[in-house]
Amino acid sequence: MRRDAIADPWGARTPYGPGQSWPVRVDSQLADGLTEDDVDRWVPTAAVLHSNGDGLELAVKDGRLVGVRGRAADRVNHGRVDPKDLYGWQANASPDRLTTPLVRRDGRLVEASWDEAMGLVAGRSRALLDERGPSSIGFYTSGQLFCEEYYTLAAIAHGAIGTNHLDGNTRLCTATAAAALKETFGCDGQPGSYTDVDHADVIALYGHNVAETQSVLWSRMLDRLAGPNPPSLLCVDPRDTPVARAATVHLAPLPGTNLALMNALLHEIIARDWVDHDYLDRCTVGFDQLAALVADYPPERAAEICRIPAARIREAAALLGGAQRLLSTVLQGFYQAHQATAAAVQVNNINLVRGMLGRPGRGVLQMNGQPTAENTRECGADGDLTGFRNWANDAHVTELADLWNLEVKQIPHYAPPTHAMQIFRYAENGSLRLLWVSATNPAVSLPDLARIRSILSQDRLFLVVQDVFLTETAELADVVLPAAMWGEKTGGFTNADRTVHLSEKAVDPPGQARPDLDIFLDYARRMDFRDRDGQPFPPWHDAETAFEAWKRASAGRPCDYTGLSYGKLRQRAIQWPCDAEHPDGTERLYVDGKFFARPGYCEDYGRDLVTGGPADQNEYRAVNPDGKAMLKAAEYLPPREMPSAEHPFALITGRTIYQFHTRTKTGRVPELRDAAPEVWVEMSEQDAKAHDLSEGDLAEITTPRGAVRARVRIRGIRDGVLFLPFHYGYWGTDDPSGRHRAANELTITDWDPVSKQPLFKTAAAAMRRAEGTR
Amino acid sequence: MKIALALRELHRAEKALVRDLLKMSDRHHAEPEIHHVARDLARWSRDHVRALADAGRPYGLELGAEVAERSGPLAPVRTAVSELLSTRPEPGVLLLADLRRLHRACAGCRWTGNCWRRERRPSRTTTCWPWRAAATRTHCAS
């Protein structure tokens, strides 16, 4: 079905009732003047511009991409295509793709051969290893590569080099999802499934503007809402989003107060005994401590902190308490906010206390922000050890060393993995001298950009950037490596509900651009990494051999891939774990109340939710000897940067429907670029009036870090709160010296103590009409 | 008698710990995690000082309930020095020394604290004390 997806992002309704199958609706888009008869072949892949993992096919004609359509039989999207994906494939053919390596000479980036560029990278790496050791080298990767690429990068960083400094920009989007799952279940791994939407009678969305971030999943919810016996929605969001407008109860807490609200919801659920005591006794530990802590949070107290009526909190609790099939979903409104992990853990707690897990419609979805963030996590490119292994468990490290045939001492396990913000801090203090950035754009996406630019611009830091466009980050690099994009290479691709797709090569990359996997392996060969027997490491040499190696690394772990193969994935997408026992995959985890939480098996021994201090195995074993789910809780603390007389607004930043990340792809697609060409700021009618601003006026927003100018959009958002989309950097602007466009000029260098996810939703700002703009 | 003595000593140690934590926070202003977590811990310690003042009353002790929220008149100097040196690796050695000292001070408070834990609400004591040592351990490791 062809449609104007900009005007109508969610498309026509196909209503269905509880327990029924979501009807198929195939969306498609072809280049002007073409019909399906003109297409040479259709190549299967999945959606790369958000985290939903929708199954797609790319249309190829004469060796070029000419369109896309949804896969009707795909379990994720039943044929639907998100507006970004309907048009986004055009970015592959942008005239300004990087097609040759670049090296910095006399201060300028000039074209070079692969041999020259890789020679520089390998030469500097070897010199640093000799002079300063492995900790002088760090890697910052993405949530947009394929599992083979992450696994290879993890093997090189943690195995061959032995540095602890490896993370992905998943730190910005999904670190709290992983952390919250580890705190509650001892291990990462999404408990629920998207099919829970088909069965739920209550769907609670916490800081999850699914309508914009996962538009196809929202279509699924809209179709339930349009069908018989629709579910009730609870929405927690300071903005009046499409989700909020469809919700039975909408709670709009003041930014920075999520945990107080969650503690009050738990307070009410426990006080009214909407509790599944049998489930708690069988499957959990820690209920008494949880109950004692939330006893201090009656709705009236949270009402004062969050500035919402206590009656509304009680209504929300009643909705949760009365649910028969409760699906809870969480995203950036919680993950990028103050006390992120503690708040996300309370969502897990609500489902556990209510015994709502592992059955159709009864689930938790701690969501992702990026398409392959799940692969970043499971392969260990987010710093965790490969296959959800526990860095603090010597047996797990030994197992990994044996798998890689390397010495145990080669794999860093003396401390927790270094998270992204700390990697940049090490680059700032000069202990890290080579930073290799792949498929991400920290010069726009990280907080406090003036600081990030000064770090990346240092002479003493050798910056390698591997990407498909000359991003704001690539402009600061010493070596730029041109990479192949999605559609130009093959690899495994796992979404937020553990669905593994195979994304196949449809067309050749432009010029000399190469798949990220080939670049990493080329580096390994030039560095001449060897295993214990003197054989080249990593031993694999292409996507399929890398996938087979990854399968062996995942064997016996929660994310078991051993039952999968490229051949099987060509038939259909499958949810892990998939092994001999579960050849068709696993729809829901924890069905039998059994968890991956035994002390010898779990991925993590947990952290204190307030300080982030990690527990050791003895402490974990004492609390949870039998590997049950853990009910943890923490007291509410006020954010470190609160609105004040000088900076009276609470500033939140975030993602919107037509753009993805820093617009490197979506900003190069005419339909998407024109749908939202410039940065804007959302504010309430009252705040606009108080500052003499009307729709379309130019406002200046300032924090102690910087200033941004943005056009005013008057929207439903609580008074005293400003929202800025974070997509807009400086490419394509007339005046790159101004630095008044990127939302992250304003955000703070601060992060959640447990997940280390930066706080993009907690900053105090001032706002005024920009000079001379009437 | 013994309990009064222990409470007085613990109160002294806890107050000193608050000052140490605030100094630490200012001296390592360029390390966001140290700066922020040290202040979180200082806030807990201030709570403890207040609780100790309450606990001392039945024993005839008049212990001060309040501790300063700043590390003293030199606070801006400490912060400025940290910022000046933010691109140098050397403060890392100073940080390690500070963390070791802090770890010892925390351990001292925890040990003395065992003798009056019963006086406190269990939910608070069980969450605070073991984790504080863990919190400092994480920074020592990195």
Side-chain angles (χ1 to χ4, degrees):
Chain A
M1 183 190 289
R2 233 178 144 124
R3 63 193 168 98
D4 179 356
I6 302 298
D8 177 20
W10 306 293
R13 295 281 59 78
T14 50
Y16 71 123
Q20 294 173 356
S21 177
W22 188 27
V24 167
R25 184 194 87 196
V26 176
D27 299 332
S28 67
Q29 180 77 28
L30 286 172
D32 277 345
L34 294 186
T35 67
E36 296 211 351
D37 292 340
D38 299 314
V39 175
D40 296 340
R41 57 202 171 89
W42 294 92
V43 180
T45 180
V48 81
L49 295 171
H50 49 81
S51 65
N52 211 49
D54 305 327
L56 313 174
E57 288 175 304
L58 286 168
V60 180
K61 180 178 169 54
D62 302 329
R64 292 174 61 87
L65 296 183
V66 293
V68 68
R69 76 178 173 201
R71 286 153 76 174
D74 196 277
R75 65 172 303 278
V76 173
N77 55 323
H78 294 218
R80 287 157 192 79
V81 183
D82 172 281
K84 285 188 288 298
D85 302 309
L86 275 179
Y87 308 112
W89 50 272
Q90 298 171 86
N92 284 53
S94 291
D96 59 343
R97 282 286 300 274
L98 287 169
T99 54
T100 175
L102 306 172
V103 301
R104 190 165 296 278
R105 214 173 278 142
D106 302 326
R108 289 182 49 240
L109 285 172
V110 296
E111 293 192 356
S113 68
W114 271 105
D115 211 37
E116 190 181 352
M118 291 306 291
L120 278 174
V121 179
R124 182 61 73 100
S125 302
R126 211 171 289 118
L128 283 171
L129 284 177
D130 291 345
E131 288 164 25
R132 294 172 166 267
S135 292
S136 60
I137 298 178
F139 297 88
Y140 183 51
T141 189
S142 176
Q144 298 176 52
L145 301 183
F146 293 154
C147 93
E148 297 79 356
E149 296 167 330
Y150 298 131
Y151 179 51
T152 304
L153 186 58
I156 288 174
H158 282 154
I161 293 177
T163 177
N164 216 5
H165 308 328
L166 164 65
D167 201 356
N169 68 358
T170 50
R171 188 65 57 186
L172 316 181
C173 78
T174 190
T176 302
L181 293 171
K182 289 178 199 172
E183 291 301 327
T184 301
F185 303 109
C187 190
D188 198 351
Q190 186 71 279
S193 166
Y194 290 167
T195 54
D196 288 329
V197 172
D198 308 345
H199 302 274
D201 68 342
V202 175
I203 305 177
L205 302 102
Y206 299 94
H208 182 202
N209 183 8
V210 62
E212 298 201 56
T213 55
Q214 290 164 283
S215 68
V216 169
L217 190 63
W218 179 237
S219 295
R220 196 169 192 148
M221 293 179 191
L222 285 175
D223 286 346
R224 275 295 318 277
L225 290 172
N229 303 314
S232 304
L233 302 193
L234 165 65
C235 171
V236 178
D237 197 318
R239 298 167 65 205
D240 188 21
T241 61
V243 180
R245 290 193 287 276
T248 310
V249 180
H250 173 206
L251 302 175
L254 196 67
T257 67
N258 289 337
L259 183 59
L261 174 63
M262 297 309 298
N263 286 353
L265 291 174
L266 254 310
H267 170 103
E268 199 63 5
I269 288 169
I270 292 172
R272 297 188 178 262
D273 200 28
W274 291 317
V275 172
D276 184 338
H277 293 281
D278 173 60
Y279 188 84
L280 284 180
D281 291 345
R282 268 191 306 120
C283 303
T284 71
V285 294
F287 179 70
D288 292 344
Q289 289 91 324
L290 171 70
L293 190 134
V294 301
D296 287 345
Y297 292 85
E300 282 71 19
R301 183 177 171 201
E304 208 169 292
I305 296 170
C306 308
R307 312 237 186 100
I308 46 180
R312 198 63 56 77
I313 298 174
R314 289 206 164 85
E315 276 172 50
L319 197 59
L320 298 167
Q324 296 301 306
R325 292 175 307 282
L326 171 65
L327 171 62
S328 301
T329 75
V330 196
L331 197 65
Q332 310 307 5
F334 272 39
Y335 297 164
Q336 295 178 338
H338 177 61
Q339 296 194 291
T341 307
V345 158
Q346 286 290 42
V347 177
N348 295 340
N349 290 345
I350 287 178
N351 275 66
L352 286 170
V353 162
R354 301 240 42 238
M356 298 275 170
L357 205 66
R359 293 275 182 276
R362 299 177 165 191
V364 172
L365 292 167
Q366 297 278 357
M367 288 293 186
N368 301 352
Q370 291 185 77
T372 62
E374 185 54 47
N375 299 113
T376 316
R377 277 149 57 179
E378 65 206 22
C379 294
D382 66 342
D384 289 346
L385 285 191
T386 294
F388 296 156
R389 286 179 177 80
N390 187 339
W391 66 269
N393 182 335
D394 288 347
H396 287 201
V397 184
T398 306
E399 188 180 86
L400 193 60
D402 289 342
L403 179 81
W404 286 342
N405 196 24
L406 298 170
E407 299 296 335
V408 176
K409 66 177 189 322
Q410 181 77 11
I411 299 171
H413 59 287
Y414 46 82
T418 317
H419 58 93
M421 295 301 288
Q422 192 65 41
I423 291 177
F424 279 79
R425 171 66 195 135
Y426 288 145
E428 185 176 42
N429 76 17
S431 67
L432 186 126
R433 293 295 176 101
L434 188 154
L435 181 63
W436 186 332
V437 176
S438 45
T440 186
N441 191 13
V444 180
S445 59
L446 284 183
D448 199 354
L449 285 183
R451 172 173 175 261
I452 296 300
R453 279 191 295 269
S454 79
I455 292 171
L456 294 176
S457 311
Q458 299 171 95
D459 281 342
R460 65 182 175 184
L461 178 72
F462 191 79
L463 180 65
V464 181
V465 174
Q466 173 175 322
D467 213 317
V468 299
F469 294 106
L470 192 69
T471 61
E472 290 85 344
T473 308
E475 285 179 1
L476 304 172
D478 295 283
V479 172
V480 178
L481 304 172
M485 231 163 121
W486 163 90
E488 300 162 357
K489 58 182 186 177
T490 293
F493 188 127
T494 307
N495 77 346
D497 87 335
R498 293 174 283 103
T499 302
V500 188
H501 283 92
L502 185 64
S503 178
E504 300 218 55
K505 178 176 170 174
V507 296
D508 285 327
Q512 299 176 48
R514 302 169 66 188
D516 298 86
L517 177 68
D518 293 14
I519 300 173
F520 293 141
L521 287 174
D522 181 26
Y523 174 70
R525 297 296 174 259
R526 285 173 194 269
M527 292 297 289
D528 198 27
F529 296 131
R530 301 275 165 169
D531 68 12
R532 274 191 292 219
D533 297 324
Q535 296 302 306
F537 181 84
W540 49 92
H541 57 271
D542 63 6
E544 191 154 6
T545 54
F547 187 78
E548 291 300 315
W550 158 241
K551 279 165 59 178
R552 288 191 290 280
S554 73
R557 296 303 300 166
C559 49
D560 198 319
Y561 276 60
T562 50
L564 295 172
S565 67
Y566 275 15
K568 200 161 165 182
L569 289 171
R570 284 189 176 109
Q571 307 300 313
R572 66 186 180 93
I574 299 174
Q575 288 171 286
W576 64 245
C578 177
D579 53 16
E581 218 176 304
H582 310 91
D584 297 320
T586 308
E587 188 157 31
R588 293 179 184 82
L589 301 183
Y590 315 140
V591 168
D592 46 8
K594 300 254 186 328
F595 303 92
F596 302 128
R598 293 188 311 280
Y601 188 79
C602 69
E603 182 185 7
D604 202 282
Y605 297 132
R607 290 173 182 267
D608 175 55
L609 292 181
V610 173
T611 63
D616 64 24
Q617 191 177 39
N618 289 333
E619 288 160 330
Y620 183 92
R621 199 178 283 278
V623 174
N624 193 20
D626 303 319
K628 296 183 175 185
M630 295 164 279
L631 296 161
K632 295 188 179 180
E635 72 215 69
Y636 166 73
L637 301 177
R640 286 155 189 149
E641 186 169 284
M642 287 284 270
S644 60
E646 205 181 337
H647 295 100
F649 286 92
L651 171 71
I652 55 181
T653 72
R655 179 143 62 92
T656 60
I657 188 163
Y658 301 117
Q659 306 296 340
F660 183 58
H661 261 246
T662 60
R663 285 168 69 252
T664 48
K665 290 176 202 144
T666 52
R668 287 176 167 89
V669 172
E671 292 85 350
L672 301 174
R673 181 195 60 211
D674 296 344
E678 270 297 335
V679 67
W680 71 89
V681 56
E682 293 182 18
M683 65 185 71
S684 74
E685 196 170 354
Q686 188 182 314
D687 287 334
K689 207 186 247 173
H691 290 76
D692 188 27
L693 287 163
S694 313
E695 183 86 11
D697 285 354
L698 198 61
E700 183 170 272
I701 304 102
T702 52
T703 70
R705 273 79 56 191
V708 163
R709 290 167 170 222
R711 296 280 166 197
V712 172
R713 286 189 189 179
I714 297 171
R715 292 289 185 276
I717 184 169
R718 53 172 305 159
D719 295 335
V721 181
L722 303 174
F723 172 83
L724 268 179
F726 83 99
H727 311 296
Y728 298 87
Y730 299 104
W731 68 267
T733 53
D734 299 333
D735 177 19
S737 61
R739 309 289 186 202
H740 290 307
R741 196 157 97 135
N744 280 318
E745 304 291 351
L746 307 179
T747 45
I748 189 171
T749 301
D750 191 6
W751 52 79
D752 178 61
V754 181
S755 68
K756 316 299 181 188
Q757 185 154 351
L759 307 187
F760 294 109
K761 312 249 190 246
T762 313
M767 190 260 295
R768 63 184 179 88
R769 152 181 292 285
E771 297 296 332
T773 57
R774 174 62 76 177
Chain B
M1 183 61 193
K2 270 193 286 188
I3 289 193
L5 269 176
L7 277 177
R8 188 186 293 280
E9 165 55 15
L10 189 56
H11 181 262
R12 185 202 61 74
E14 194 76 51
K15 276 180 75 170
L17 186 59
V18 175
R19 280 190 298 272
D20 282 351
L21 284 162
L22 292 175
K23 271 189 199 165
M24 176 104 188
S25 174
D26 291 337
R27 273 153 72 97
H28 301 286
H29 190 264
E31 299 290 348
E33 195 143 56
I34 302 291
H35 169 71
H36 289 309
V37 174
R39 289 190 120 66
D40 287 341
L41 295 174
R43 195 177 32 77
W44 271 349
S45 271
R46 272 200 299 275
D47 289 349
H48 293 169
V49 169
R50 273 191 287 275
L52 284 165
D54 291 345
R57 239 162 263 134
Y59 300 96
L61 295 173
E62 293 218 5
L63 305 171
E66 294 307 318
V67 198
E69 294 195 17
R70 284 159 54 91
S71 71
L74 291 180
V77 179
R78 291 189 185 100
T79 305
V81 170
S82 173
E83 285 306 316
L84 271 175
L85 295 176
S86 68
T87 60
R88 307 282 314 168
E90 290 82 359
V93 182
L94 177 67
L95 173 60
L96 197 59
D98 280 354
L99 284 167
R100 286 175 57 194
R101 197 162 43 240
L102 189 63
H103 190 73
R104 285 201 303 275
C106 288
C109 282
R110 183 184 181 181
W111 180 79
T112 325
N114 283 338
C115 75
W116 65 275
R117 282 173 84 162
R118 278 163 300 186
E119 306 286 335
R120 306 272 324 273
R121 283 191 312 159
S123 67
R124 290 301 292 262
T125 41
T126 48
T127 53
C128 293
W129 290 100
W131 292 115
R132 182 190 281 164
T136 57
R137 193 165 60 228
T138 169
H139 302 306
C140 288
S142 60

